[in-house]
């Protein structure tokens, strides 16, 4: 809808300019009525919900309002004389209006209106956000004050099952991601009777906002480390392995802290949300670096019953081989049930890049593992970003994915739901196709 309205506005401006140039008149009165009409039509589209109001429509609304007010004032001043027609003035005004329209509609074009992926569960879903402060850790980025994490819950609203509680699922976003990166997945899971908590890892996330309104952006040092680690020749393999360990320690410490805090609150906090949680049924999942951290926790904690790794290397199962100066699979047995979901971006590297050596050897080293490859998908296809902002997704992953974005995310959500149902609720069986 945003793209349609943007190009319609551009066509109107160009057509008006051409009309004025051909007739050698300003047509000021007609333009004024048109400006007022455009604003009224925009308002009707919002009221009829053809346009779903969001932050991206603020600038177009302001622009159309200003133009409508200016036009209304011009119409009321009936005695005002029109300026003598000048073609150059018409061209300049049209160019300026085109630039203004482009700037005003930029948020709409970057964050277009989109249809939410389907939600199939019987429960209405509610959300709640909190900031947890870890009094046992100093923030490693600021070196001042305690480490904090911002979390958001998705959970069944006003619903009770036979046991009165639901399994807990903990999600970790990728590098420079945000906790809402897979909101459609959380909503689908919560609608089927899960309490899902997604974590913002401050300084690892693109941005995060605390309960008190404090905004924390991605740390520049972490950004530089991440870029250098993915650039040949900047670090040695040994240095890269050290970075893996540092990043995963932060992630794992954050996730352990969140889980422990929730477990404590289920027995001591009066908030009804925590009373919904079945503390004996816990699963973890994440995308990219968050998937790596989830696997790390699946090895560390005995109370985690299932792990979903979305498009990530298995750093917890990787070692640095000093003699070969390269990475290798540790060979240790991984006993927590594991579902791997891969895009083409990672799938094509499994046999080429030794960072994925543990993924390649996982068939021999895991007690129970399922692997699914989404053919034609790119790394961010396994998040909601291609829906929320196709432009940003294509820029970040250097091209558009071949797979249909709704098919990809909805099928992924279905797979994750069936896996957790099987491992945490004992529902049905799980034998997914190896490729889609």
């Amino acid at each position: 809808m945003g793209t349609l309205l943007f190009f319609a506005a551009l066509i109107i401006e160009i057509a008006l300019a051409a009309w004025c140039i051909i007739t050698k008149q300003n047509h000021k009165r007609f333009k004024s009525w048109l400006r007022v009409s455009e604003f009224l039509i925009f308002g009707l589209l919002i009221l009829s919900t053809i346009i779903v109001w969001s932050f991206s429509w603020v600038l177009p609304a302001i622009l159309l309002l200003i133009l409508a007010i200016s036009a209304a004032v011009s119409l009321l001043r009936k005695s005002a004389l029109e300026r003598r027609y000048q073609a150059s003035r018409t061209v300049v005004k049209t160019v300026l209006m085109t630039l203004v329209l482009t700037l005003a509609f930029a948020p709409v074009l970057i964050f277009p209106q989109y249809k939410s992926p389907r939600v199939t569960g019987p429960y209405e879903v509610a959300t709640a956000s909190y900031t947890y402060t870890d009094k046992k850790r100093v923030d490693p980025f600021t070196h001042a004050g305690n480490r904090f994490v911002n979390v958001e819950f998705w959970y069944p609203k006003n619903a009770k099952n036979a046991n009165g509680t639901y399994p807990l699922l903990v999600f970790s976003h990728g590098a420079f991601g945000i906790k809402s990166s897979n909101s459609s997945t959380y909503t689908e899971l919560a609608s089927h009777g899960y309490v899902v908590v997604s974590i913002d890892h401050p300084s690892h996330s693109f941005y995060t906002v605390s309960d008190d309104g404090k905004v924390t952006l991605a740390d520049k040092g972490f950004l530089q480390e991440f870029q250098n680690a993915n650039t040949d020749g900047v670090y040695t393999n040994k240095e890269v392995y050290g970075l893996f360990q540092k990043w995963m320690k932060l992630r794992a410490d954050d996730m352990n802290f969140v889980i422990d805090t929730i477990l404590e609150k289920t027995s001591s906090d009066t908030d009804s949300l925590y009373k919904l949680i079945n503390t004996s049924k816990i699963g973890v999942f994440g995308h990219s670096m968050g998937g790596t951290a989830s696997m790390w926790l699946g090895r560390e904690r005995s109370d985690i019953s299932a792990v979903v790794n979305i498009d990530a290397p298995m750093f917890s199962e990787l070692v640095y081989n000093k003699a070969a100066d390269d990475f290798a699979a540790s060979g240790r047995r991984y006993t927590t049930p594991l579902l791997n979901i891969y895009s083409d971006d990672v799938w094509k590297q499994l046999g080429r890049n030794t960072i994925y050596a543990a993924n390649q050897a996982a068939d021999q080293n895991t007690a129970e593992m399922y692997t699914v490859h989404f053919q034609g998908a790119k790394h961010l296809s396994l998040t909601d970003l291609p829906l929320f902002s196709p432009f940003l997704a294509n820029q970040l992953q250097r091209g558009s994915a071949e797979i249909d974005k709704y098919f990809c995310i909805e099928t992924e959500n279905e797979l994750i739901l069936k896996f957790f149902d099987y491992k945490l609720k004992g529902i049905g069986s799980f034998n997914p196709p190896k490729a889609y």
Side-chain angles (χ1 to χ4, degrees), residues 337-341 368-372 419 422-423 430-432:
L338 172 66
L339 168 62
N340 288 315
I341 300 176
E368 182 180 358
M369 185 185 74
Y370 310 87
T371 297
V372 177
F419 176 69
Y422 177 54
K423 300 313 302 181
F430 190 72
N431 187 26

Side-chain angles (χ1 to χ4, degrees), residues 154-176:
W154 281 255
Y155 61 95
K157 182 180 180 181
N158 300 325
K160 292 183 178 180
N161 63 15
N163 299 318
T165 58
Y166 306 93
L168 173 68
L169 302 177
V170 183
F171 183 88
S172 176
H173 61 73
F176 313 110

Side-chain angles (χ1 to χ4, degrees), residues 56 95 98 117 146 167 174 188 196 224 262 291 345:
S56 60
V95 171
T98 299
N146 294 113
E188 173 68 356
V196 185
Q224 192 63 59
I262 292 171
D345 287 345

Side-chain angles (χ1 to χ4, degrees), residues 416-435:
I416 293 172
L417 171 65
K418 287 183 176 179
F419 176 69
F420 282 134
D421 274 352
Y422 177 54
K423 300 313 302 181
L424 299 182
K425 293 184 177 180
I427 297 175
S429 59
F430 190 72
N431 187 26
K434 293 185 178 179

Side-chain angles (χ1 to χ4, degrees), residues 268-294:
S268 62
D269 201 291
T270 58
D271 191 326
S272 58
L273 165 60
Y274 298 111
K275 303 304 179 185
L276 294 174
I277 297 171
N278 182 345
T279 58
S280 66
K281 301 290 185 180
I282 302 175
V284 292
F285 64 129
H287 174 255
S288 195
M289 192 176 286
T292 302
S294 296

Side-chain angles (χ1 to χ4, degrees), residues 128-255:
S129 298
Y130 303 93
T131 296
Y132 296 157
T133 301
D134 188 350
K135 296 180 180 179
K136 296 180 181 179
R137 284 192 295 160
V138 174
D139 189 283
F141 294 96
T142 64
H143 303 291
N146 294 113
R147 176 71 175 172
F148 68 91
V149 290
N150 300 316
V151 301
E152 187 167 0
F153 287 86
W154 281 255
Y155 61 95
K157 182 180 180 181
N158 300 325
K160 292 183 178 180
N161 63 15
N163 299 318
T165 58
Y166 306 93
L168 173 68
L169 302 177
V170 183
F171 183 88
S172 176
H173 61 73
F176 313 110
I178 53 176
K179 64 178 181 292
S180 59
S181 66
N182 287 64
S183 291
S184 70
T185 312
Y186 320 146
T187 304
E188 173 68 356
L189 291 165
S191 78
H192 283 271
Y194 288 91
V195 176
V196 185
V197 59
S198 183
I199 302 170
D200 260 342
H201 299 275
S203 300
H204 271 206
S205 58
F206 179 64
Y207 76 95
T208 184
V209 183
S210 303
D211 284 348
D212 60 4
K214 177 183 177 182
V215 178
T216 304
L217 301 177
D219 180 74
K220 292 180 180 179
F222 171 60
L223 173 61
Q224 192 63 59
E225 286 178 350
F226 187 82
Q227 289 177 334
N228 289 343
N230 287 278
T231 303
D232 291 338
V234 178
Y235 293 132
T236 64
N237 283 339
K238 184 177 181 180
E239 288 171 332
V240 171
Y241 185 73
L243 288 176
F244 293 163
Q245 302 299 308
K246 183 175 76 169
W247 296 340
M248 287 304 103
K249 177 172 177 23
L250 179 78
R251 292 287 185 121
D253 284 350
D254 283 351
M255 295 180 77

